[in-house]
Coordinates of all heavy atoms in Angstrom, one line a residue:
L1 N -5.1 -31.9 -43.5 CA -4.8 -31.5 -44.9 C -3.3 -31.5 -45.1 O -2.8 -32.1 -46.2 CB -5.4 -30.2 -45.2 CG -5.1 -29.6 -46.6 CD1 -5.5 -30.6 -47.7 CD2 -5.7 -28.2 -46.8
P2 N -2.4 -31.0 -44.3 CA -1.0 -31.0 -44.5 C -0.4 -32.4 -44.7 O 0.3 -32.6 -45.7 CB -0.4 -30.3 -43.3 CG -1.5 -29.4 -42.8 CD -2.7 -30.1 -43.1
F3 N -0.8 -33.3 -43.9 CA -0.3 -34.7 -44.0 C -0.8 -35.3 -45.2 O -0.1 -36.0 -45.9 CB -0.7 -35.5 -42.7 CG -0.1 -36.9 -42.7 CD1 1.2 -37.0 -42.5 CD2 -0.9 -38.0 -42.9 CE1 1.8 -38.3 -42.5 CE2 -0.4 -39.3 -42.9 CZ 1.0 -39.4 -42.7
R4 N -2.1 -35.1 -45.6 CA -2.6 -35.7 -46.8 C -1.9 -35.2 -48.0 O -1.6 -36.0 -49.0 CB -4.1 -35.4 -46.9 CG -5.0 -36.0 -45.8 CD -6.4 -36.1 -46.2 NE -7.0 -34.8 -46.7 CZ -7.6 -33.9 -45.9 NH1 -7.7 -34.1 -44.6 NH2 -8.1 -32.8 -46.5
L5 N -1.5 -33.9 -48.1 CA -0.8 -33.4 -49.2 C 0.5 -34.1 -49.4 O 1.0 -34.3 -50.5 CB -0.7 -31.9 -49.1 CG -1.9 -31.1 -49.2 CD1 -1.7 -29.6 -48.9 CD2 -2.5 -31.2 -50.6
L6 N 1.2 -34.3 -48.3 CA 2.5 -35.0 -48.4 C 2.4 -36.4 -48.8 O 3.2 -36.9 -49.6 CB 3.2 -34.9 -47.0 CG 3.6 -33.5 -46.5 CD1 4.2 -33.6 -45.1 CD2 4.5 -32.8 -47.5
C7 N 1.3 -37.1 -48.4 CA 1.1 -38.5 -48.8 C 0.7 -38.5 -50.3 O 1.2 -39.5 -51.0 CB 0.0 -39.1 -47.9 SG 0.5 -39.4 -46.2
K8 N 0.0 -37.6 -50.7 CA -0.4 -37.5 -52.1 C 0.9 -37.3 -53.0 O 1.1 -37.9 -54.0 CB -1.3 -36.3 -52.4 CG -1.8 -36.2 -53.8 CD -2.8 -37.3 -54.2 CE -3.4 -37.1 -55.5 NZ -4.4 -38.2 -55.8
K9 N 1.8 -36.4 -52.5 CA 3.0 -36.2 -53.2 C 3.8 -37.5 -53.3 O 4.6 -37.6 -54.3 CB 3.8 -35.1 -52.4 CG 5.1 -34.7 -53.0 CD 5.8 -33.6 -52.2 CE 7.1 -33.2 -52.7 NZ 7.8 -32.2 -51.9
M10 N 3.7 -38.3 -52.4 CA 4.5 -39.6 -52.4 C 3.8 -40.7 -53.1 O 4.3 -41.8 -53.1 CB 4.8 -40.0 -50.9 CG 5.8 -39.1 -50.2 SD 7.5 -39.3 -51.0 CE 7.6 -37.7 -51.8
G11 N 2.6 -40.5 -53.7 CA 2.0 -41.5 -54.5 C 0.7 -42.1 -54.0 O 0.2 -43.0 -54.7
C12 N 0.2 -41.7 -52.9 CA -1.1 -42.2 -52.4 C -2.2 -41.9 -53.4 O -2.3 -40.8 -53.9 CB -1.4 -41.7 -51.0 SG -2.8 -42.4 -50.2
D13 N -3.1 -42.8 -53.6 CA -4.1 -42.6 -54.6 C -5.4 -41.9 -54.1 O -5.9 -41.1 -54.8 CB -4.6 -44.0 -55.2 CG -3.5 -44.7 -55.9 OD1 -2.8 -44.1 -56.8 OD2 -3.3 -45.9 -55.7
I14 N -5.8 -42.3 -52.9 CA -7.1 -41.8 -52.4 C -6.9 -41.3 -50.9 O -6.3 -42.1 -50.1 CB -8.2 -42.8 -52.5 CG1 -8.5 -43.2 -53.9 CG2 -9.5 -42.3 -51.8 CD1 -9.6 -44.2 -54.1
M15 N -7.4 -40.2 -50.6 CA -7.3 -39.6 -49.3 C -8.6 -39.7 -48.5 O -9.7 -39.6 -49.2 CB -6.9 -38.1 -49.3 CG -5.7 -37.8 -50.2 SD -4.2 -38.5 -49.5 CE -3.3 -38.8 -51.0
I16 N -8.6 -39.7 -47.2 CA -9.8 -39.6 -46.4 C -9.4 -38.7 -45.2 O -8.4 -38.8 -44.6 CB -10.3 -40.9 -45.9 CG1 -10.5 -41.9 -47.1 CG2 -11.6 -40.8 -45.1 CD1 -11.0 -43.3 -46.7
T17 N -10.3 -37.8 -44.9 CA -10.1 -36.9 -43.8 C -10.1 -37.6 -42.4 O -10.4 -38.7 -42.3 CB -11.2 -35.8 -43.7 OG1 -12.4 -36.4 -43.3 CG2 -11.4 -35.1 -45.0
E18 N -9.7 -36.8 -41.4 CA -10.0 -37.3 -40.0 C -11.5 -37.4 -39.8 O -12.3 -36.8 -40.5 CB -9.5 -36.3 -39.0 CG -8.0 -36.0 -39.1 CD -7.6 -34.8 -38.2 OE1 -7.6 -35.0 -37.0 OE2 -7.3 -33.7 -38.7
M19 N -11.9 -38.3 -38.9 CA -13.3 -38.4 -38.7 C -13.9 -37.2 -38.1 O -13.4 -36.5 -37.3 CB -13.6 -39.7 -37.8 CG -13.2 -39.6 -36.4 SD -13.6 -41.1 -35.5 CE -13.3 -40.6 -33.8
I20 N -15.2 -36.9 -38.6 CA -15.9 -35.7 -38.2 C -17.2 -36.1 -37.6 O -17.9 -36.9 -38.2 CB -16.1 -34.8 -39.4 CG1 -14.7 -34.3 -39.9 CG2 -16.9 -33.6 -39.1 CD1 -14.8 -33.6 -41.2
S21 N -17.6 -35.5 -36.5 CA -18.9 -35.8 -35.9 C -20.0 -35.2 -36.7 O -20.0 -34.0 -37.0 CB -18.9 -35.2 -34.5 OG -20.2 -35.1 -34.0
A22 N -21.0 -36.0 -37.1 CA -22.2 -35.5 -37.8 C -23.0 -34.5 -36.9 O -23.4 -33.5 -37.4 CB -23.1 -36.7 -38.2
K23 N -23.0 -34.8 -35.6 CA -23.7 -33.8 -34.7 C -22.9 -32.5 -34.7 O -23.5 -31.4 -34.7 CB -23.9 -34.4 -33.3 CG -24.9 -35.5 -33.3 CD -25.0 -36.0 -31.8 CE -26.1 -37.1 -31.7 NZ -26.2 -37.7 -30.4
G24 N -21.6 -32.6 -34.6 CA -20.8 -31.4 -34.5 C -21.0 -30.6 -35.8 O -21.0 -29.3 -35.7
L25 N -21.0 -31.3 -36.9 CA -21.2 -30.6 -38.2 C -22.6 -29.9 -38.2 O -22.7 -28.8 -38.7 CB -21.1 -31.6 -39.3 CG -21.0 -31.1 -40.7 CD1 -19.8 -30.1 -40.9 CD2 -20.8 -32.3 -41.7
M26 N -23.6 -30.6 -37.7 CA -25.0 -30.1 -37.7 C -25.0 -28.8 -36.9 O -25.7 -27.8 -37.3 CB -25.9 -31.1 -37.2 CG -27.4 -30.7 -37.2 SD -28.5 -32.0 -36.7 CE -28.1 -32.2 -34.9
Y27 N -24.3 -28.8 -35.8 CA -24.4 -27.6 -34.9 C -23.3 -26.6 -35.2 O -23.0 -25.7 -34.4 CB -24.3 -28.1 -33.4 CG -25.5 -28.8 -33.0 CD1 -25.3 -30.2 -32.5 CD2 -26.7 -28.3 -33.0 CE1 -26.4 -30.9 -32.1 CE2 -27.8 -29.0 -32.5 CZ -27.7 -30.3 -32.1 OH -28.8 -31.0 -31.7
N28 N -22.6 -26.8 -36.4 CA -21.6 -25.8 -36.8 C -20.5 -25.6 -35.8 O -20.0 -24.5 -35.5 CB -22.2 -24.5 -37.1 CG -23.2 -24.5 -38.3 OD1 -22.8 -25.1 -39.3 ND2 -24.4 -24.0 -38.1
N29 N -20.1 -26.7 -35.2 CA -19.0 -26.7 -34.2 C -17.7 -26.2 -34.9 O -17.3 -26.7 -35.9 CB -18.7 -28.1 -33.6 CG -17.7 -28.2 -32.5 OD1 -16.6 -27.7 -32.7 ND2 -18.1 -28.8 -31.4
H30 N -17.1 -25.2 -34.3 CA -15.9 -24.6 -34.9 C -14.8 -25.5 -35.1 O -13.9 -25.3 -36.0 CB -15.4 -23.4 -34.1 CG -14.8 -23.7 -32.8 ND1 -15.5 -24.1 -31.7 CD2 -13.4 -23.8 -32.5 CE1 -14.6 -24.3 -30.7 NE2 -13.4 -24.2 -31.2
K31 N -14.7 -26.6 -34.3 CA -13.6 -27.6 -34.5 C -13.7 -28.4 -35.8 O -12.7 -28.9 -36.2 CB -13.6 -28.5 -33.3 CG -13.2 -27.9 -32.0 CD -13.2 -28.9 -30.8 CE -12.8 -28.2 -29.5 NZ -12.8 -29.2 -28.4
T32 N -14.9 -28.4 -36.4 CA -15.1 -29.2 -37.6 C -14.6 -28.4 -38.8 O -14.3 -29.0 -39.9 CB -16.5 -29.6 -37.8 OG1 -17.3 -28.4 -38.0 CG2 -17.1 -30.3 -36.6
E33 N -14.4 -27.1 -38.7 CA -14.1 -26.3 -39.9 C -12.8 -26.7 -40.5 O -12.6 -26.9 -41.7 CB -14.1 -24.8 -39.5 CG -15.4 -24.2 -39.1 CD -15.4 -22.8 -38.6 OE1 -14.3 -22.2 -38.7 OE2 -16.4 -22.3 -38.2
V34 N -11.7 -26.8 -39.6 CA -10.4 -27.1 -40.2 C -10.4 -28.5 -40.7 O -9.6 -28.9 -41.6 CB -9.3 -26.9 -39.1 CG1 -9.4 -27.9 -37.9 CG2 -7.9 -26.9 -39.7
L35 N -11.2 -29.4 -40.1 CA -11.2 -30.8 -40.5 C -11.8 -30.9 -41.9 O -11.6 -31.9 -42.6 CB -12.1 -31.7 -39.6 CG -11.6 -31.7 -38.1 CD1 -12.5 -32.6 -37.3 CD2 -10.2 -32.3 -38.0
L36 N -12.6 -29.9 -42.3 CA -13.3 -30.0 -43.6 C -12.5 -29.3 -44.8 O -12.9 -29.3 -45.9 CB -14.6 -29.3 -43.6 CG -15.7 -30.0 -42.8 CD1 -17.0 -29.2 -42.6 CD2 -16.1 -31.3 -43.6
L37 N -11.3 -28.8 -44.4 CA -10.5 -28.2 -45.5 C -9.9 -29.2 -46.4 O -9.5 -30.3 -46.0 CB -9.3 -27.4 -44.8 CG -9.7 -26.2 -44.0 CD1 -8.5 -25.6 -43.3 CD2 -10.4 -25.1 -44.9
S38 N -9.9 -28.9 -47.7 CA -9.4 -29.8 -48.7 C -8.6 -28.9 -49.7 O -8.8 -27.7 -49.7 CB -10.4 -30.7 -49.4 OG -11.4 -29.9 -50.1
D39 N -7.9 -29.6 -50.6 CA -7.1 -28.9 -51.6 C -7.4 -29.5 -53.0 O -7.5 -30.8 -53.1 CB -5.7 -28.9 -51.2 CG -4.8 -28.1 -52.2 OD1 -4.7 -26.9 -51.9 OD2 -4.3 -28.6 -53.2
E40 N -7.4 -28.7 -54.0 CA -7.6 -29.2 -55.4 C -6.7 -30.3 -55.8 O -7.0 -31.3 -56.5 CB -7.5 -28.0 -56.3 CG -7.8 -28.4 -57.8 CD -9.3 -28.6 -58.1 OE1 -10.1 -28.2 -57.3 OE2 -9.5 -29.3 -59.1
S41 N -5.4 -30.3 -55.2 CA -4.4 -31.2 -55.7 C -4.5 -32.6 -55.0 O -3.8 -33.5 -55.5 CB -3.0 -30.6 -55.3 OG -2.8 -30.5 -53.9
E42 N -5.4 -32.7 -54.0 CA -5.4 -34.0 -53.4 C -6.5 -35.0 -53.8 O -6.6 -36.1 -53.4 CB -5.6 -33.8 -51.8 CG -6.9 -33.2 -51.4 CD -7.0 -33.2 -49.9 OE1 -6.5 -34.1 -49.2 OE2 -7.7 -32.3 -49.3
H43 N -7.3 -34.6 -54.8 CA -8.4 -35.4 -55.2 C -7.9 -36.7 -55.9 O -6.8 -36.7 -56.5 CB -9.3 -34.7 -56.3 CG -10.1 -33.6 -55.6 ND1 -11.2 -33.8 -54.9 CD2 -9.9 -32.2 -55.6 CE1 -11.7 -32.6 -54.5 NE2 -10.9 -31.7 -54.9
P44 N -8.6 -37.8 -55.7 CA -9.9 -37.9 -55.0 C -9.7 -38.0 -53.5 O -8.8 -38.6 -53.0 CB -10.5 -39.2 -55.6 CG -9.3 -40.0 -56.0 CD -8.3 -39.0 -56.4
V45 N -10.6 -37.3 -52.8 CA -10.6 -37.3 -51.3 C -12.0 -37.4 -50.8 O -12.9 -36.8 -51.3 CB -9.9 -35.9 -50.8 CG1 -10.6 -34.7 -51.4 CG2 -9.8 -35.9 -49.3
G46 N -12.1 -38.2 -49.7 CA -13.3 -38.5 -49.1 C -13.4 -37.8 -47.7 O -12.3 -37.6 -47.1

């Protein structure tokens, strides 16, 4: 999220998160929580 916000500020149109494991997400792996953080100002974001 911090890096994406800076890229958005510099004119990037669309953001995408770091890759996230579907299995990790399914098992509520704590490491996925921070990867899922987004901010209203960065839309559109995938």
Side-chain angles (χ1 to χ4, degrees):
L1 178 57
F3 185 69
R4 297 198 308 269
L5 289 173
L6 296 177
C7 291
K8 184 70 173 184
K9 181 179 179 181
M10 287 294 107
C12 184
D13 294 315
I14 297 177
M15 310 291 148
I16 305 179
T17 69
E18 302 173 69
M19 66 179 191
I20 297 170
S21 165
K23 287 181 180 177
L25 191 58
M26 181 176 69
Y27 292 120
N28 297 311
N29 185 306
H30 71 279
K31 292 181 180 180
T32 66
E33 293 177 8
V34 70
L35 300 178
L36 287 171
L37 292 175
S38 64
D39 186 87
E40 184 71 22
S41 66
E42 66 171 330
H43 291 284
V45 56

